[in-house]
Amino acid sequence: ETGVTQSPTHLIKTRGQQVTLRCSSQSGHNTVSWYQQALGQGPQFIFQYYREEENGRGNFPPRFSGLQFPNYSSELNVNALELDDSALYLCASSLPGANVLTFGAGSRLTVL
Amino acid sequence: SQQGEEDPQALSIQEGENATMNCSYKTSINNLQWYRQNSGRGLVHLILIRSNEREKHSGRLRVTLDTSKKSSSLLITASRAADTASYFCATGDNNAGNMLTFGGGTRLMVKP
């Protein structure tokens, strides 16, 4: 049984660019959530996808968007990158109806 | 924004000692969870306590929940150097038990 995998692990972008981060959920998990973790802080909920639709959203602007695919994998897209978008982006998957999340190792984004 | 505060923000102890971390939250909850994070990597689930439970044990971990005070504590007994990590509490509400709101974390260092 594989866990949650994320790619890329590290990337550097410049202000105004766009980025796509990818996540493969753990086998059997159909719900995927994305979190942003700034340095020295706790993760903040961005949004959650269930059955290929956005199921809930945190306090993030529309330039943060996502997709979930039929195999439950997911993408996080961020447009018009800002310096404050520099963070560790964490993907987590969960079983249907379960409250416990299984996290990936994260994608560290640096915006210059 | 974070759900609440964790206290202390940093804790340094000797191997064999007990470590206690506290978490406060602001809104009604369905469950409270504790996660561990090593060196800015992914989070690992440790334990979940439901809003109708007051105490839960798992190995060397003991979690308490006081919903009247909106607070929880995590006790790690007989700590080991390998317990060195950041520990986060996270809450899920009744409408979205797995859309978690995290605290700011406690950075624990266990000295050998």
Side-chain angles (χ1 to χ4, degrees):
Chain A
E1 176 180 292
T2 58
V4 177
T5 58
Q6 294 187 241
S7 63
T9 54
H10 296 83
L11 70 166
I12 299 173
K13 294 283 187 178
T14 56
R15 275 187 305 175
Q17 285 189 313
Q18 178 264 344
V19 68
T20 297
L21 308 177
R22 295 178 175 83
C23 171
S24 294
S25 60
Q26 181 163 315
S27 176
H29 289 193
N30 65 356
T31 301
V32 175
S33 304
W34 286 90
Y35 289 80
Q36 179 196 66
Q37 186 179 23
L39 196 62
Q41 297 184 22
Q44 291 202 37
F45 174 68
I46 303 175
F47 43 54
Q48 182 182 92
Y49 277 82
Y50 172 66
R51 291 186 175 179
E52 303 176 52
E53 295 204 357
E54 188 179 289
N55 192 39
R57 189 178 184 93
N59 188 27
F60 280 81
R63 60 190 185 84
F64 286 77
S65 63
L67 286 172
Q68 186 181 30
F69 301 99
N71 65 354
Y72 307 137
S73 66
S74 177
E75 287 182 356
L76 164 66
N77 299 289
V78 187
N79 294 322
L81 283 167
E82 301 176 359
L83 297 179
D84 285 349
D85 295 333
S86 294
L88 181 68
Y89 288 85
L90 295 161
C91 172
S93 69
S94 54
L95 288 166
N99 293 324
V100 173
L101 304 183
T102 300
F103 281 85
S107 293
R108 184 165 297 282
L109 171 66
T110 301
V111 182
L112 302 177
Chain B
S1 62
Q2 307 288 166
Q3 161 73 292
E5 299 295 325
E6 293 191 52
D7 169 53
Q9 291 186 338
L11 178 61
S12 181
I13 59 174
Q14 295 293 136
E15 234 177 1
E17 293 180 337
N18 295 340
T20 299
M21 290 160 260
N22 303 297
C23 165
S24 62
Y25 57 91
K26 298 174 182 175
T27 61
S28 297
I29 63 170
N30 167 278
N31 68 88
L32 186 143
Q33 304 178 42
W34 286 87
Y35 287 80
R36 166 192 166 130
Q37 184 178 39
N38 283 59
S39 300
R41 297 178 62 84
L43 282 78
V44 174
H45 176 258
L46 296 175
I47 195 166
L48 178 151
I49 187 166
R50 302 197 181 283
S51 60
N52 61 353
E53 297 176 307
R54 291 297 167 259
E55 186 171 316
K56 204 162 184 180
H57 297 253
S58 177
R60 293 184 296 114
L61 305 180
R62 171 178 170 255
V63 170
T64 61
L65 178 65
D66 186 336
T67 53
S68 67
K69 295 181 179 179
K70 292 187 167 57
S71 67
S72 173
S73 68
L74 171 67
L75 168 66
I76 304 174
T77 60
S79 64
R80 305 166 182 168
D83 294 330
T84 295
S86 292
Y87 292 82
F88 295 90
C89 69
T91 55
D93 65 26
N94 287 323
N95 294 323
N98 64 0
M99 296 183 200
L100 301 182
T101 303
F102 283 83
T106 293
R107 290 177 294 285
L108 173 66
M109 176 175 289
V110 182
K111 300 176 184 177

